């Protein structure tokens, strides 16, 4: 019996390509399909095109790996369940099933075998908590993968991430147009590349609008919202409101919600006393009072793009490595005032 990986090796293509061709499934270009069919016939395996059971289908599944470093961000409040539907739907549209695998850094030497055993054609790695030196474990596997929600400038790896520069610029411009001239930033304290990008991009945008030295209004208030409420209480206690910014941006929605709760508990009005903008547009944004203005990530597009990029990587249709950035959209609700 001819095996998919043996035939793929002989033809110089991936096992995923062989599987899609022999099963007549979408997911590859017409040109690639025609070339593979021609080579299969030239090698005398044309009968497989009508006798698919002769070939072991080893690559009809994609993997979604949730990589946890310390788990602070990827716990119960994680964002990934919100984008998982888009990933699974796109995988199915290309003829693949999807499996979810959780990998924890402290057990990675053992758990990396889960990836080998899952026998997937390729992987989308939810790499929010990943550090650059940890990518090597996945590189050694020799299996196609795409980093999702992270990027390392020193690595030749395809990635799909949030365009944090665009999102924070949009938020700063919105506040500026509303009359705000002092804008603070509320950080989670987590060592996450995306959060660092948002903070740095926010201050860069403020400088573009002529607001200098806003870094003095950067406060680490903690994560998730229970801790950020405590942290914001400490920031505000004993402070003259007139010496504080009129508006705040936050690492994400949960940090913003905690800050709002602290402000309200100390008697401040939102948005009359302080305006607040979050990031991500999680469900909690419409549950908090007042409802949170935020930067929304197009979840379906965000997840779908990672699968599309993975399939291009698997089929080797791109000769260069690519970083895809997905733009956010400002969702205007009730936490920003015009002054």
């Amino acid at each position: 019996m001819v095996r998919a990986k043996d035939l793929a090796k002989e033809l110089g293509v991936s096992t995923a390509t062989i599987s899609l061709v022999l099963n007549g499934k979408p997911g590859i270009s017409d040109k690639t399909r025609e070339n593979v069919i021609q080579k299969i016939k030239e090698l005398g395996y044309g009968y497989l095109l009508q006798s698919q059971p002769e070939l072991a289908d080893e690559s009809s599944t994609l993997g979604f790996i949730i990589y946890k470093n310390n788990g602070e961000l990827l716990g119960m409040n994680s964002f990934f369940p919100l984008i998982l539907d888009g990933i699974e739907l796109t995988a199915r549209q290309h003829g693949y099933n999807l499996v979810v695998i959780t990998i924890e850094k402290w057990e990675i030497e053992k758990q990396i075998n889960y990836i080998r055993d899952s026998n997937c054609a390729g992987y989308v790695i939810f790499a929010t908590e990943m550090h650059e030196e940890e990518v090597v474990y996945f590189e050694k596997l020799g299996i196609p993968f795409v980093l999702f929600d992270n990027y390392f400038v020193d690595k030749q790896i395809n990635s799909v991430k949030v365009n944090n520069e665009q999102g924070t610029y949009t938020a700063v411009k919105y506040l500026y147009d509303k009359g705000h001239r002092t804008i603070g930033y509320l950080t989670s304290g987590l060592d996450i590349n995306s959060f660092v990008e948002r903070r740095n991009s926010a201050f860069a945008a403020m400088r573009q609008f002529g607001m200098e030295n806003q870094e003095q209004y950067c406060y680490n208030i903690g994560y998730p919202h229970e801790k950020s409420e405590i942290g914001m209480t400490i920031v505000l206690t004993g402070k003259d409101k007139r010496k504080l910014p009129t508006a705040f941006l936050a690492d994400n929605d949960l940090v913003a919600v905690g800050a709002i709760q602290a402000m309200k508990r100390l008697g401040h009005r939102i948005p009359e006393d302080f305006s607040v903008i979050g990031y991500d547009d999680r469900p909690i944004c419409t549950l908090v009072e007042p409802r949170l203005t935020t930067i929304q990530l197009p979840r379906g597009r965000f997840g779908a793009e990672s699968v599309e990029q993975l399939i291009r990587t698997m089929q080797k249709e791109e000769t260069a490595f690519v970083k895809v950035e997905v733009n956010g959209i400002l969702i205007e609700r009730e936490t920003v005032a015009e002054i």
Side-chain angles (χ1 to χ4, degrees):
M1 182 180 71
V2 180
R3 296 188 304 166
K5 66 179 181 182
D6 296 330
L7 184 55
K9 184 177 181 180
E10 193 166 358
L11 295 181
V13 298
S14 70
T15 53
T17 297
I18 295 296
S19 177
L20 292 174
V21 169
L22 294 177
N23 290 289
K25 294 181 179 179
I28 55 175
S29 66
D30 291 339
K31 182 178 179 181
T32 298
R33 188 183 301 276
E34 290 171 5
N35 288 338
V36 171
I37 289 175
Q38 181 179 347
K39 290 180 180 179
I40 288 174
K41 290 179 178 179
E42 290 173 356
L43 290 171
Y45 297 129
Y47 65 91
L48 292 176
L49 295 167
Q50 290 80 34
S51 183
Q52 298 167 10
E54 293 290 329
L55 183 86
D57 183 3
E58 298 173 325
S59 22
S60 60
T61 303
L62 300 181
F64 181 62
I65 297 176
I66 302 167
Y67 184 81
K68 292 185 177 183
N69 196 312
N70 52 36
E72 288 185 89
L73 190 65
L74 300 186
M76 293 179 61
N77 297 308
S78 177
F79 181 71
F80 78 82
L82 304 179
I83 50 84
L84 192 55
D85 285 347
I87 291 176
E88 184 170 20
L89 176 62
T90 308
R92 290 189 180 280
Q93 288 173 342
H94 284 279
Y96 291 94
N97 296 316
L98 187 75
V99 297
V100 179
I101 304 169
T102 299
I103 299 292
E104 298 179 272
K105 179 189 174 183
W106 66 280
E107 272 196 319
I108 191 168
E109 297 283 358
K110 172 185 175 182
Q111 294 181 348
I112 203 75
N113 293 319
Y114 298 165
I115 300 177
R116 292 192 184 94
D117 295 342
S118 67
N119 203 28
C120 292
Y123 300 89
V124 174
I125 303 177
F126 192 49
T128 305
E129 291 190 353
M130 182 179 288
H131 296 145
E132 183 173 341
E133 65 273 13
E134 295 156 10
V135 181
V136 69
Y137 291 103
F138 300 94
E139 292 177 308
K140 288 179 178 178
L141 291 173
I143 303 171
F145 69 87
V146 168
L147 292 184
F148 179 70
D149 199 33
N150 211 336
Y151 165 75
F152 303 110
V153 69
D154 199 36
K155 289 288 185 180
Q156 293 288 352
I157 296 174
N158 291 319
S159 64
V160 177
K161 63 184 291 295
V162 179
N163 189 342
N164 291 305
E165 181 181 13
Q166 174 269 339
T168 51
Y169 177 89
T170 299
V172 170
K173 183 179 185 300
Y174 178 72
L175 290 173
Y176 184 86
D177 291 344
K178 291 288 188 179
H180 297 272
R181 295 298 181 267
T182 55
I183 302 173
Y185 195 93
L186 306 175
T187 78
S188 62
L190 300 182
D191 183 20
I192 301 297
N193 285 348
S194 190
F195 290 172
V196 173
E197 278 190 5
R198 290 176 189 178
R199 181 179 69 243
N200 292 340
S201 297
F203 289 125
M206 293 176 204
R207 289 191 290 271
Q208 290 183 50
F209 287 98
M211 292 178 280
E212 302 289 341
N213 302 317
Q214 300 299 290
E215 288 85 352
Q216 65 180 305
Y217 302 123
C218 183
Y219 305 104
N220 176 3
I221 63 172
Y223 181 91
H225 55 89
E226 297 90 349
K227 291 182 179 178
S228 61
E229 180 176 352
I230 295 171
M232 195 66 193
T233 300
I234 295 172
V235 169
L236 295 175
T237 300
K239 298 282 198 318
D240 185 342
K241 183 178 75 69
R242 293 170 296 182
K243 295 182 179 180
L244 290 168
T246 59
F248 291 94
L249 304 179
D251 271 350
N252 69 4
D253 296 330
L254 295 181
V255 176
V257 166
I260 288 173
Q261 296 301 96
M263 293 169 181
K264 291 165 57 178
R265 190 157 55 83
L266 292 174
H268 298 292
R269 299 168 301 161
I270 311 298
E272 293 83 358
D273 295 329
F274 296 113
S275 293
V276 181
I277 297 182
Y279 210 116
D280 289 343
D281 194 30
R282 300 177 185 226
I284 197 172
C285 294
T286 57
L287 300 177
V288 68
E289 178 64 36
R291 298 180 303 151
L292 180 63
T293 296
T294 189
I295 299 296
Q296 180 190 78
L297 301 182
R299 299 164 193 163
R301 174 68 186 277
F302 197 24
E305 190 61 45
S306 66
V307 176
E308 299 284 357
Q309 185 61 44
L310 175 60
I311 290 174
R312 290 193 291 269
T313 301
M314 289 160 46
Q315 305 308 327
K316 300 180 180 177
E317 293 181 356
E318 295 178 345
T319 57
F321 292 95
V322 176
K323 176 178 70 170
V324 177
E325 294 192 321
V326 180
N327 288 358
I329 304 167
L330 183 98
I331 302 298
E332 184 176 9
R333 294 195 177 99
E334 301 164 349
T335 56
V336 174
E338 187 166 2
I339 62 174

